[in-house]
Amino acid sequence: MAKYLILIYGDEQRWNAMSAEERAQIDEGHRAFRARAGAAVLAAGELETTATATSLRAGSGGSPAITDGPFLESKEVLGGFYLLEARDLDEAIALSSGLAEVAHDHSGVEVRPLVQHG
């Protein structure tokens, strides 16, 4: 079995302005995803807004330079993730395709395999 990181991206301003009905529809998509995926979900989480992010980059004197905010400025930001175990990419895509963010014009889902060492 391989591991896949399911990254959920979207327009943070649109997420913050969502109606309760839109939020409920997306939440229902996540409940349905978890029901379908079952034990294949190894970890999951929704991220706080980019205003809470802290970035570290190479700094002077061997110490990292620490700044407030996301690593990159972008309209679409990472909002959450799932770590799945699946037979192959096709199974990971099939499971992820039911997430509500796939159907909205302000968000999307990226499926990436983890490198298997050894």
Side-chain angles (χ1 to χ4, degrees):
M1 298 286 272
K3 291 184 175 74
Y4 295 87
L5 190 58
I6 311 306
L7 301 167
I8 301 167
Y9 290 91
D11 182 325
E12 193 169 46
Q13 290 180 352
R14 296 270 306 269
W15 280 340
N16 292 337
M18 266 187 216
S19 68
E21 182 178 280
E22 280 181 296
R23 175 68 67 183
Q25 188 254 346
I26 288 174
D27 290 345
E28 178 54 37
H30 286 278
R31 282 190 291 280
F33 170 79
R34 287 183 174 172
R36 274 192 324 278
V41 176
L42 303 176
E46 180 178 355
L47 302 176
E48 292 287 347
T49 66
T50 56
T52 65
T54 302
S55 297
L56 287 74
R57 297 177 186 259
S60 62
S63 295
I66 301 170
T67 58
D68 291 336
F71 189 68
L72 297 174
E73 299 230 359
S74 173
K75 181 179 177 183
E76 288 189 341
V77 299
L78 182 61
F81 71 94
Y82 287 98
L83 177 61
L84 294 182
E85 193 166 53
R87 285 186 309 276
D88 54 28
L89 179 61
D90 291 336
E91 182 180 27
I93 290 171
L95 288 169
S96 302
S97 65
L99 289 166
E101 286 85 354
V102 173
H104 287 263
D105 66 350
H106 59 82
S107 58
V109 174
E110 180 180 352
V111 179
R112 294 185 60 181
L114 273 65
V115 174
Q116 295 183 33
H117 294 280

